[in-house]
Amino acid sequence: MNYERFQNQACLARTPTPLRQMALMMIKRPNVISMGGGLPDPSAIPFIDATVKLRDGSELHIDPADMALSMQYSHSEGYPALRQWFKELQKRIHNPPGMANPTHPSGTEVIVINGSQDALFKTFNAMVSRGDNILIENPAYPVPCTILTPLGCNLIPVEADADGMNPENLRRALSRWSPEDAKDPNSDIPKLLYCVPTGGNPTGSGLTLQRKQEIYKLAQEYDLMIIEDDPYYYLQFTEPLTPSFLSLDVDGRVMRFDTLSKIISPGVRVGFLTGPQPLLQKITYEIMYSTIHVSGISQMLVLALLKKWGHDKFLAQAKEISNLYLKKSELCNMYLEKHLTDLAEWSKPSGGMFFWIKIPSITDTKELLENTYHRDALFVGGSAFFADRSAPCQYIRASYSLVTPEQMDKAFAALAESLKEILSKKT
């Protein structure tokens, strides 16, 4: 793999800051007498230790030594112990070929990130140049679009259906280029493919293993890097979990974004990025020059919890949360059937937190959503998730993660009432 192909000029020129290198030298040799670093005197830091009560009634204690460590500057890649925990998890769940084989040229690695969204921001800023063509599923989670558009690139939508991105649509989108164009540095052939493969936001759909295999083959054929943004991976509603793109990655062409936001807490802002070492090194440089590293206290708190749980308890916790959302999705479907049968179309989600609802009797849901809002129910218009947000859209997204059954009932009743009111004016 030629990883320079996937870096823009700023990324290629990025080198580690010498002061960060000095800080790492101090960390590697804690007994060294340093008059070169800029770490604060520990006596100036007010925090000594901490005890946190968990929902099950047990406690986590961060002792003075760990607290002192968490309060200082640290590795931009993340705490070594936390990285190792995540690396062992990835080996257990995905067993990526580049990690299982130490001689693999990609050298698949893991770094700790400040939530997957910040990692996406840094990754796109390192890999995308003005004028690049970027393949993105359609509809898609809107944040990547809002990151990419100001970079001056062109988004090429690849239509998705109830099983996620359709490989035939991907091949059609690529048909204007030849695979040989990937060898030409002056070609505008796409280099990146972005998707949310599990419990898709907004559709709730999930890519099947067969589709992932077909998409990966196309990525090999056209030398694409797959940006696998997978925050809902552990919220799949069926077992076994569908294998990831990372698990298929024999070449080192997958950047996988995982987060703890859906399993532990979005507020801790801790996730982990897995991918080929040459690219992760450049993302680490981006971290060095921006956030420096993920919050030390967040990393230490998460590390203490994960050490207490172990991988088995973590996976059991993830399964409990998946079951919680499965039950909520079933309730949501029940109230959809109660209020919107013959008025709307939808598919049951395969995971995640969302229903993707089509209103075939109207051309655009804007007025419907405004009227529903005045009935005290809020939904997201589907246009927010399409490449062309100005076009009329028949879809809405409904999230069931935060609402009670009673609130679902009221919200869908309000949506149905608003729709019937609009339709009555047309007759």
Side-chain angles (χ1 to χ4, degrees), residues 198-205 231-233 235-237 259-264 266 321-322 324-326 328-329 332 349-356 397-403 408 412:
T198 309
N201 182 358
T203 63
S205 64
Y232 307 103
Y233 182 78
L235 301 188
Q236 296 182 50
F237 295 157
T259 179
L260 299 183
S261 293
K262 311 303 186 289
I263 304 298
I264 293 178
I321 295 172
S322 174
L324 168 69
Y325 289 123
L326 172 58
K328 286 201 164 193
S329 75
C332 194
S350 64
M353 303 176 172
F354 309 107
F355 269 87
W356 187 235
R397 190 195 75 176
S399 173
Y400 47 81
S401 59
L402 200 59
V403 289
M408 291 179 194
F412 287 126

Side-chain angles (χ1 to χ4, degrees), residues 21-153:
Q21 293 295 97
M22 187 173 295
L24 292 179
M25 291 169 66
M26 292 173 59
I27 292 168
K28 289 176 181 177
R29 297 192 65 179
N31 295 325
V32 70
I33 299 171
S34 174
M35 298 188 71
L39 276 67
D41 185 330
S43 67
I45 297 174
F47 303 101
I48 299 297
D49 62 10
T51 299
V52 178
K53 188 172 183 179
L54 301 180
R55 190 170 293 279
D56 65 5
S58 63
E59 293 181 342
L60 289 178
H61 183 65
I62 300 176
D63 63 30
D66 283 342
M67 180 63 81
L69 180 63
S70 74
M71 289 294 117
Q72 285 287 10
Y73 294 116
S74 185
H75 300 263
S76 291
E77 302 94 330
Y79 286 169
L82 187 55
R83 288 180 66 203
Q84 185 60 30
W85 200 98
F86 289 143
K87 192 169 184 177
E88 290 170 0
L89 179 69
Q90 300 298 64
K91 285 182 180 178
R92 175 169 174 171
I93 301 302
H94 307 287
N95 195 27
M99 188 179 287
N101 179 5
T103 64
H104 194 282
S106 78
T108 304
E109 272 296 344
V110 178
I111 61 175
V112 182
I113 54 178
N114 189 38
S116 55
Q117 189 159 298
D118 182 61
L120 284 169
F121 182 86
K122 288 179 168 62
T123 298
F124 287 141
N125 273 278
M127 299 177 74
V128 174
S129 300
R130 183 167 293 277
D132 279 0
N133 290 308
I134 309 296
L135 296 156
I136 187 166
E137 63 185 343
N138 194 47
Y141 178 48
V143 169
C145 298
T146 57
I147 295 173
L148 288 164
T149 301
L151 297 177
C153 59

Side-chain angles (χ1 to χ4, degrees), residues 62-287:
I62 300 176
D63 63 30
D66 283 342
M67 180 63 81
L69 180 63
S70 74
M71 289 294 117
Q72 285 287 10
Y73 294 116
S74 185
H75 300 263
S76 291
E77 302 94 330
Y79 286 169
L82 187 55
R83 288 180 66 203
Q84 185 60 30
W85 200 98
F86 289 143
K87 192 169 184 177
E88 290 170 0
L89 179 69
Q90 300 298 64
K91 285 182 180 178
R92 175 169 174 171
I93 301 302
H94 307 287
N95 195 27
M99 188 179 287
N101 179 5
T103 64
H104 194 282
S106 78
T108 304
E109 272 296 344
V110 178
I111 61 175
V112 182
I113 54 178
N114 189 38
S116 55
Q117 189 159 298
D118 182 61
L120 284 169
F121 182 86
K122 288 179 168 62
T123 298
F124 287 141
N125 273 278
M127 299 177 74
V128 174
S129 300
R130 183 167 293 277
D132 279 0
N133 290 308
I134 309 296
L135 296 156
I136 187 166
E137 63 185 343
N138 194 47
Y141 178 48
V143 169
C145 298
T146 57
I147 295 173
L148 288 164
T149 301
L151 297 177
C153 59
N154 307 307
L155 302 181
I156 301 178
V158 181
E159 299 305 315
D161 55 30
D163 291 322
M165 182 183 289
N166 190 315
E168 287 305 312
N169 292 339
L170 176 59
R171 182 173 287 281
R172 193 173 299 115
L174 287 163
S175 63
R176 57 192 268 203
W177 294 278
S178 163
E180 290 299 310
D181 291 334
K183 299 176 183 178
D184 179 2
N186 296 315
S187 173
D188 66 349
I189 186 173
K191 294 177 283 189
L192 301 183
L193 167 64
Y194 172 84
C195 66
V196 178
T198 309
N201 182 358
T203 63
S205 64
L207 277 171
T208 62
L209 176 58
Q210 181 180 345
R211 283 198 172 185
K212 286 180 180 178
Q213 290 169 333
E214 292 176 19
I215 290 169
Y216 190 85
K217 286 179 181 178
L218 283 169
Q220 289 180 305
E221 185 179 347
Y222 285 87
D223 196 15
L224 301 171
M225 184 66 61
I226 298 174
I227 306 299
E228 183 177 30
D229 184 14
D230 214 355
Y232 307 103
Y233 182 78
Y234 293 102
L235 301 188
Q236 296 182 50
F237 295 157
T238 57
E239 290 187 301
L241 300 178
T242 303
S244 63
F245 280 116
L246 184 66
S247 71
L248 307 175
D249 190 20
V250 294
D251 298 340
R253 62 175 66 255
V254 173
M255 298 275 279
R256 178 178 172 82
F257 297 74
D258 284 282
T259 179
L260 299 183
S261 293
K262 311 303 186 289
I263 304 298
I264 293 178
S265 162
V268 297
R269 306 312 306 140
V270 173
F272 45 110
L273 172 58
T274 309
Q277 192 275 337
L279 290 179
L280 260 60
Q281 183 180 59
K282 289 304 182 87
I283 302 303
T284 300
Y285 295 165
E286 296 280 330
I287 296 170

